[in-house]
Amino acid sequence: MTHWLIAPVILPAMLAPFIILAARYHIGIQRVFSITGVLTLIAIAGGLAWNTSDGTIMLYQLGDWAAPFGIVLVGDRLSTMMVLLTVVLALFVLIYAISSGWDGRGRHFHALFQFQLMGILGAFLTGDLFNLFVFFEVLLIASYGLMIHSGGTTRLRAGVQYVLFNLIGSTLFLFALGAIYAETGTLNMADLANRVQLITPDETVGIRVAAVLLILVFAIKAALVPLHFWLPSSYAEAPAPVAALFAIMTKVGAYAIIRVYTMIFPPDLAVTSGLHDVWLLPAALISLAIGMTGVLAAKRLDRLVAFSIIGSMGMVLVSIALFSPVGIAAALYYIVHSTLAGAALFLIADLVRSSRANLDLTPQPPVAGATLTAGLFFAGAIAMAGLPPLSGFLGKLLVLDAAYGTDLMVWIWVIVLVSSLISIVGFARAGSILFWKAKSVAAPEGAIPAPVPATMSYVAVGGLIALLAAHTIFAGQVHSYTTAVAAQLFDPEPYISTVVDTPGKLSKPSTEDH
Amino acid sequence: MELLLASAIGIMTAAGIYLVLRLRTFPVILGISLLTYAVNVFLFTSGRVAVGAPPVLRDDITVYTDPLPQALVLTAIVISFGMTAVVVMIGLGAFLGSDDDHVDDCPDVPQDPPEGTS
């Protein structure tokens, strides 16, 4: 049994206390360790993704306890792909946080950043529902600290809302887990997949309640309308690098929906029939419409980006809610795209903010380094709105193609296309006010011009845009890989048998040691 | 016993939801605490209620209660305890900063000066 699978959880978990205890007052040492840690994680995640790309299921039994009794970590194509996406995003976010000086505006940024990574990576790798809850809590605790990093009253107020909303979400998660355990007597995902099939049709009340509660919890994380109210304030008020990292947190919710509702409650299961097409799909369509309308209606750039995140999550969930291999493949392609595009836009909003009094969409004197910032905003907005030539366009095409011929095809096509148009108008309006109208406003007399943002900040944002370009150029390869991921998800038998049948302690009842 | 547990869970959940829907921070935090108590008892009963039975397997014991929910409850208690402390601290900071403890958005709160420039 290889131990590499637990490295993405262990490494940040060791690094964060080290940064707090040994490098508490030395921001330089913290930066070196943080960057080195993330680079190592990229190497490990690349290795794991390579190892599972041929369809291998990696299994790690903690303490060598066999599956239903012990906690397992499982790496398949989906989880290693999400792990790789997270750590690559973390690298660029970290470069930006360091070069813009955000990490020095409060205490313990790097330690909390590593704990946040530990929670996210653990949530992607775990094969146990209660362990998923624990990793959700780890990433949430770290995100509470990061969210209010460097303080300020408006940020603290937004932080209170964010924490309270997520505490209620965690409570719901525990209710769902209690209901599942009471019905099945296990919380291991693979074991659950086997046992849920055995429930007779007239005894499904408890498990149906649990399935609905669980999708509510994941929908809160994925900011699905009407459970999205926590997102705009908290993402807009969070420090920019933190908001950029949070772009992956909504995807944790999407990942959990894909994982649980392809394996434990598959689409053809009678117990949960109607959950996907009657509830999830319309809610996702409404999220898409509301998010993109919010892009047009927003009065501040940071809220505009936050609403575009809601819209893009709507798009992801529309594609997921089709629950076909084509739909999941398109959703995964779009998840990679929207994570990178959303993070880039939050960082660009911070580039604008660094030399403006506020982010209100009103004409104000030009920002420092306006040409380059405007160029990056242009690219980021094209990507997020889904115009050619960047990957948002291809992602949208894949979603539309996946929806072709389904029952709600007309609705999906109309809402996707109209909301794209609305978001184009919204982004065009924001860009022209921020960068073009600024030319007609003279800077006040005697104003000291703000310094141009550091070169490495532009490198970080440019790197994210370059990844989007690569995501477009290699769209064929990426899409064939996400198709392979979806194929593996819809054939969960190898996953289940690997988890349940791998021997470990307690796998056979022994008479001498109890 | 079942009736006592079920009504305790129900009453605590109802009171918790009522308090969570209030507009000020303090009742909301109390409501979340009540909800976490309710969920702890709920998790405790998810392994079936067995009165007076030990939670461990030994050679001479035939009646025992499921130990796993007890471990789950322990984890849940620790996490909710820590989270409540965190939200009290953040809520206190927000209240002291703005002299207002509403949890909803108030449009008239003054903007902070841009970071890094002041």
Side-chain angles (χ1 to χ4, degrees), chain A residues 178-187 191-192 195-196 199 207, chain B residues 48:
Chain A
I180 288 180
Y181 188 77
E183 287 299 315
T184 62
T186 181
L187 287 170
D191 201 26
L192 265 178
R195 293 202 191 178
V196 168
I199 297 178
I207 203 74
Chain B
R48 302 292 182 272

Side-chain angles (χ1 to χ4, degrees), chain A residues 102 105 130 137 141 144 150 152-157 160-161 163-164 167-168 174-175 178-179 181-182 233 357 514, chain B residues 20 28 32 39 42-43 46 48 59 66 68-69 72 76 79 83 87 91 93 98 100 102-105 112 115:
Chain A
W102 262 112
R105 286 182 203 162
F130 198 81
E137 294 305 310
I141 295 173
Y144 301 154
S150 97
T153 303
T154 36
R155 184 165 299 146
L156 280 176
R157 287 180 63 91
V160 172
Q161 295 176 355
V163 177
L164 290 175
L167 280 182
I168 298 171
L174 281 175
F175 272 116
Y181 188 77
S233 294
H514 82 95
Chain B
V20 160
V28 174
I32 287 181
V39 83
F42 180 70
L43 277 182
S46 69
R48 302 292 182 272
D59 278 341
D66 190 349
L68 189 71
L72 301 186
I79 289 177
M83 292 292 191
V87 73
S98 63
D100 176 33
H102 280 85
V103 284
D104 49 341
D105 275 327
D112 287 332
E115 258 115 349

Side-chain angles (χ1 to χ4, degrees), chain A residues 193 262-263 266 487-497:
Chain A
T262 53
M263 194 162 71
Q488 193 178 37
L489 285 171
F490 278 88
D491 177 29
E493 198 37 54
Y495 183 111
I496 296 172
S497 59

